[in-house]
């Protein structure tokens, strides 16, 4: 018996070969069409609402923030003395993850490499790492990853594209001129190095929730090969959410849009003049005091009241809140942070229904407050309103019942020609947010 094999039609065969050999054609597909796992991760992310940002690195030793090398114009020769003093004997991954959970946070985003180029993980493509340069010699990201996976927290890695240490970060950008590097370097070699480190992060640490890029703004006109890097990430882990803090509208291949120190659409910090809000899931990052990396002399702590209100305003702006802590060089977390995070968790344990799993509601953010929505419930968050009556814009659907989330007591909601007039309950002192639930009629 003879096999009656169909000859492969040549054009199809050729197309197949081209598809296999050409990264560009694959690149296009991945950038344009997120994998189903990626879309599911975006939904998870939007439901999660609240994450912990962690800035921790060898800069923490100087207790003066993560820009200390640049601000003090320290040459690399000086800066390289820091890791010998970085011995975080109090680091306890289980405690960090437990703190995030106690705060009601669902994910952690930690610096794997900041602008100083120092790898906070066991990178094989660099000798400028926590494992190779510190007396501690351990890989905290591995310990944290294991603990996050154990405790059900998603872990993302911050990665600085800007690098003040690598000589191949050349030509230099706006910063890093005092580092004392030779006036030469191979830019593509630097990008290969970056991709190699990302490959390590996406291979050796289990499931990675996201890669949070920063520092692009140091060289906005450079050829960053973003397509290639983003495709590498998505080919290794399709569900990993790529975001880039470039302060611009998102690029192809990015899965979330971030805002630094501002709610989406605002620009009080000066970073977000060009940050037009796009269609992707949104996130805003903010500090508890005014510093990202540990800063011993920064005592300008925001109150729990302000932090809870920021979380609520973010949710009402359809955005997640990524709230930063900068642990100390010994691995401990200062009590001012711990106290506020516990208080936020306490508030969320009672009011989380109006935050988690919601999206920005039909009433646009106002100075008085915001709205969130989940299915047929609209949560009106009254944050700053002195009067007993609050007039909301008219809703498209009828309201069946209105009540407070706190004790389910009825709230008068009267539709009139101007909109929906709420009669608010008296506000208990110390309340951060009066939440009125509007249940829509079917
Ligand atoms: O990691 C944290 C910061 O270290 C990093 N992003 C957060 C999450 C960050 N810090 N500053 N920036 C991002 C924006 C940088 C702005 C400036 Fe500049 C750097 C202003 C002056 C020097 C960029 C370069 C704009 C002008 C020159």
């Amino acid at each position: 018996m003879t096999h009656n094999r169909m000859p492969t039609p040549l054009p199809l065969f050729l197309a197949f070969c081209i598809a296999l050999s050409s990264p560009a054609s694959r690149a296009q597909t991945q950038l344009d069409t997120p994998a189903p796992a990626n879309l599911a991760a975006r939904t998870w992310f939007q439901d999660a609402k609240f994450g912990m940002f962690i800035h921790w690195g060898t800069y923490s030793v100087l207790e003066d923030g993560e820009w200390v090398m640049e601000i003090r114009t320290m040459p690399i020769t000086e800066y390289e003395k820091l890791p010998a003093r970085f011995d975080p004997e109090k680091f306890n991954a289980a405690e960090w993850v437990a703190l995030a959970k106690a705060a009601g946070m669902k994910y952690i985003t930690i610096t794997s490499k900041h602008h100083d180029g120092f790898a906070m993980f066991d990178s094989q493509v660099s000798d400028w790492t926590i494992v190779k340069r510190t007396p501690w010699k351990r890989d905290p990201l591995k310990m944290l990853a294991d603990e996050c996976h154990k405790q059900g927290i998603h872990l993302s890695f911050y990665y600085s594209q800007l690098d003040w240490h690598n000589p191949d970060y050349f030509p230099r950008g706006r910063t890093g001129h005092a580092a004392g590097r030779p006036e030469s370097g191979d830019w593509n070699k630097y990008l290969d190095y970056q991709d190699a480190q990302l490959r390590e992060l996406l291979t050796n640490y289990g499931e990675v929730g996201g890669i949070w890029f920063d520092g692009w703004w140091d060289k906005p006109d450079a050829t960053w090969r973003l397509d290639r890097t983003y495709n590498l990430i998505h080919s290794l882990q399709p569900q990993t959410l790529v975001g880039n803090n470039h302060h611009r509208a998102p690029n192809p291949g990015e899965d979330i849009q971030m805002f630094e120190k501002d709610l989406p659409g605002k620009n009080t910090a000066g970073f977000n003049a060009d940050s037009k809000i796009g269609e992707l899931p949104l996130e805003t990052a903010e500090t508890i005091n005014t510093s990202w990396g540990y800063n011993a002399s920064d005592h300008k702590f925001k109150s729990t009241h302000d932090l809870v209100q920021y979380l609520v305003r973010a949710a009402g702006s359809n955005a997640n809140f990524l709230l930063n802590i900068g642990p100390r060089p010994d691995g401990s977390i200062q009590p001012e942070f711990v106290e506020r995070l516990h208080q936020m968790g306490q508030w969320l344990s009672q009011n989380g229904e109006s935050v988690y799993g919601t999206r920005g509601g039909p009433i646009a953010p106002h100075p008085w407050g915001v709205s969130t929505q989940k299915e047929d419930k609209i949560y009106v968050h009254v944050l700053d309103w002195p009067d007993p009556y609050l007039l909301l814009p008219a809703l498209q659907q009828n309201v069946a019942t209105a009540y407070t989330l706190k004790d389910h007591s009825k709230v008068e909601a009267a539709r009139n020609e101007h909109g929906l007039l709420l009669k608010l309950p008296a506000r208990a002192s110390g309340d951060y947010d009066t939440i009125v639930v509007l249940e829509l009629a079917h």
Side-chain angles (χ1 to χ4, degrees):
M1 196 172 153
T2 53
H3 275 292
N4 193 6
R5 287 164 89 199
M6 286 279 284
T8 311
L10 193 61
L12 196 68
F13 178 71
L14 270 181
F16 182 66
C17 290
I18 291 165
L20 277 184
S21 64
S22 150
S25 60
R26 274 176 299 170
Q28 222 40 49
T29 341
Q30 286 181 22
L31 287 172
D32 294 346
T33 324
N38 189 280
L39 295 175
R42 293 181 191 188
T43 302
W44 180 90
F45 178 80
Q46 286 189 294
D47 289 346
K49 279 291 172 298
F50 192 24
M52 173 181 275
F53 211 174
I54 304 180
H55 275 70
W56 199 46
T58 200
Y59 46 77
S60 307
V61 165
L62 293 179
E63 308 193 338
D64 196 12
E66 75 291 352
W67 270 66
V68 63
M69 177 177 173
E70 177 77 2
I71 289 167
R72 295 193 192 168
T73 59
M74 292 171 75
I76 287 171
T77 46
E78 273 306 300
Y79 196 81
E80 282 194 343
K81 293 177 184 161
L82 298 183
R85 296 161 53 191
F86 190 21
D87 191 10
E89 68 217 3
K90 292 191 182 154
F91 172 74
N92 183 324
E95 282 179 13
W96 285 20
V97 178
L99 177 62
K101 287 188 84 159
M105 293 156 157
K106 307 294 184 191
Y107 60 100
I108 291 175
T109 305
I110 186 167
T111 44
S112 64
K113 181 193 96 163
H114 206 269
H115 308 334
D116 64 1
F118 189 70
M120 288 293 288
F121 62 103
D122 189 13
S123 176
Q124 301 303 307
V125 297
S126 173
D127 71 350
W128 183 227
T129 79
I130 187 165
V131 177
K132 291 176 186 143
R133 297 287 185 117
T134 70
W136 196 54
K137 296 191 177 63
R138 303 182 73 180
D139 179 345
L141 298 198
K142 179 69 183 142
M143 295 152 87
L144 200 61
D146 290 346
E147 198 56 45
C148 280
H149 298 137
K150 198 162 121 192
Q151 296 197 39
I153 290 278
H154 286 213
L155 183 64
S156 295
F157 296 126
Y158 168 108
Y159 189 90
S160 173
Q161 296 170 286
L162 160 60
D163 195 310
W164 295 328
H165 188 271
N166 191 317
D168 288 318
Y169 188 91
F170 186 87
R172 314 273 177 252
R174 293 160 149 178
T175 62
H177 295 272
R181 288 173 286 186
E183 287 306 309
S184 63
D186 180 344
W187 178 245
N188 279 315
K189 198 169 151 209
Y190 172 69
L191 294 176
D192 288 343
Y193 168 79
Q194 176 182 275
D195 286 350
Q197 289 202 320
L198 289 165
R199 180 182 288 279
E200 292 177 329
L201 289 168
L202 287 146
T203 307
N204 301 331
Y205 298 85
E207 190 166 323
V208 175
I211 299 290
W212 207 103
F213 286 108
D214 197 7
W216 177 94
W217 37 258
D218 187 59
K219 287 179 73 169
D221 300 324
T223 305
W224 282 100
R225 290 191 341 206
L226 293 181
D227 291 2
R228 184 156 150 179
T229 300
Y230 294 170
N231 277 331
L232 171 73
I233 295 167
H234 287 140
S235 67
L236 291 167
Q237 297 208 25
Q239 86 295 336
T240 299
L241 299 176
V242 172
N244 194 321
N245 187 36
H246 44 47
H247 310 142
R248 305 274 177 98
N251 293 305
E254 292 170 9
D255 306 310
I256 65 166
Q257 182 177 7
M258 293 102 82
F259 298 83
E260 180 170 348
K261 285 189 158 284
D262 260 310
L263 293 168
K266 297 252 161 98
N267 185 29
T268 61
F271 297 135
N272 297 309
D274 301 321
S275 307
K276 271 181 119 170
I277 303 173
E279 297 296 311
L280 298 176
L282 309 174
E283 179 183 68
T284 174
E286 200 21 309
T287 50
I288 293 182
N289 47 12
T290 66
S291 310
W292 300 98
Y294 181 61
N295 186 333
S297 60
D298 182 349
H299 304 296
K300 286 195 194 135
F301 301 104
K302 296 173 186 73
S303 63
T304 305
H305 168 277
D306 288 353
L307 293 169
V308 166
Q309 290 207 343
Y310 204 86
L311 169 67
V312 170
R313 285 194 191 275
S317 309
N318 206 29
N320 285 18
F321 185 31
L322 184 64
L323 179 58
N324 182 74
I325 60 166
R328 293 183 178 124
D330 68 3
S332 65
I333 297 168
Q334 62 189 93
E336 294 88 349
F337 292 165
V338 174
E339 184 192 17
R340 283 162 179 77
L341 293 178
H342 280 152
Q343 288 168 348
M344 292 184 84
Q346 176 70 26
W347 185 86
L348 276 164
S349 69
Q350 285 157 6
N351 301 283
E353 171 194 332
S354 67
V355 174
Y356 299 122
T358 65
R359 298 293 182 269
I363 304 155
H366 282 75
W368 58 258
V370 297
S371 69
T372 54
Q373 182 166 11
K374 187 162 42 185
E375 291 154 13
D376 61 355
K377 286 183 188 161
I378 296 171
Y379 301 93
V380 180
H381 298 264
V382 185
L383 300 169
D384 256 314
W385 186 251
D387 303 334
Y389 287 95
L390 174 65
L391 181 69
L392 304 177
L395 297 171
Q396 293 198 333
Q397 287 158 285
N398 288 326
V399 173
T401 57
Y403 53 89
T404 62
L405 182 64
K406 190 176 189 176
D407 57 12
H408 284 239
S409 57
K410 193 171 163 45
V411 170
E412 279 176 40
R415 203 172 162 161
N416 65 28
E417 65 202 281
H418 304 293
L420 188 68
L421 188 67
L422 296 187
K423 183 170 187 297
L424 302 172
R427 186 162 181 136
S429 74
D431 270 6
Y432 309 133
D433 182 5
T434 301
I435 304 169
V436 177
V437 186
L438 306 178
E439 272 196 35
L440 298 172
H442 290 289

